[in-house]
Amino acid sequence: MDIRPLTPTYAVSPQIETSDLPAIKAAGFVAVINNRPDAEIPPNLHSSTMRSAAEAAGLAFFANPVIGGMLTMENVTEQAAAIQAAGGPVLAYCASGNRCSMVWALAHAGQIATDDLINIPARHGYQLEALRNQLNALAKSG
């Protein structure tokens, strides 16, 4: 498990396992967001399995599948809603953490400076510079 904090209340990670969930809870997280579609992972990591294990560990679980290269505004609004509903620290995961970083940045356009939305994930190797124009446009519209 490789937890990469973007803020004090939002961290991203590459794929986690059900066996990681007790440690995630012990680390202070209250919720987990799965940003991977079931179609790209084996059945033992599907959302239904992960949800059961997360809830058994005392964590809220949200599934918001982001298809690589096909991120939608619905994904962005669902991520923002999950973060808000969690009411505490959230760990979001996907294959590498990149999609989790992208939906976080887009969900916070206009609330956090665009440079920070790009630079914070960059500290963990996530390159979001290509989203700059979209982040700026969302900041202006929202």
Side-chain angles (χ1 to χ4, degrees):
M1 183 171 54
D2 182 10
I3 296 175
R4 302 166 185 178
L6 301 188
T7 73
T9 59
Y10 186 85
V12 301
S13 173
Q15 180 67 53
I16 61 170
E17 304 279 336
T18 55
S19 60
D20 295 324
L21 292 162
I24 291 166
K25 173 72 173 175
F29 293 96
V30 300
V32 174
I33 302 173
N34 175 10
N35 289 132
R36 291 192 86 180
D38 283 348
E40 70 179 44
I41 51 179
N44 67 308
L45 299 175
H46 281 186
S47 284
S48 59
T49 302
M50 296 301 287
R51 177 183 307 280
S52 294
E55 290 173 353
L59 293 160
F61 183 89
F62 301 90
N64 182 22
V66 177
I67 298 171
M70 298 177 65
L71 174 68
T72 67
M73 280 309 295
E74 183 178 343
N75 290 133
V76 174
T77 56
E78 285 188 29
Q79 196 84 0
I83 293 166
Q84 181 69 27
V90 173
L91 175 67
Y93 70 91
C94 59
S96 68
N98 191 58
R99 285 176 273 185
C100 304
S101 296
M102 292 171 67
V103 289
W104 168 81
L106 291 164
H108 289 88
Q111 300 168 31
I112 299 173
T114 297
D115 283 342
D116 292 338
L117 293 173
I118 293 168
N119 294 334
I120 292 169
R123 293 181 204 150
H124 300 285
Y126 305 119
Q127 301 304 315
L128 305 188
E129 184 62 43
L131 294 179
R132 181 176 293 279
N133 290 340
Q134 195 171 3
L135 290 166
N136 285 333
L138 285 170
K140 288 179 186 173
S141 70

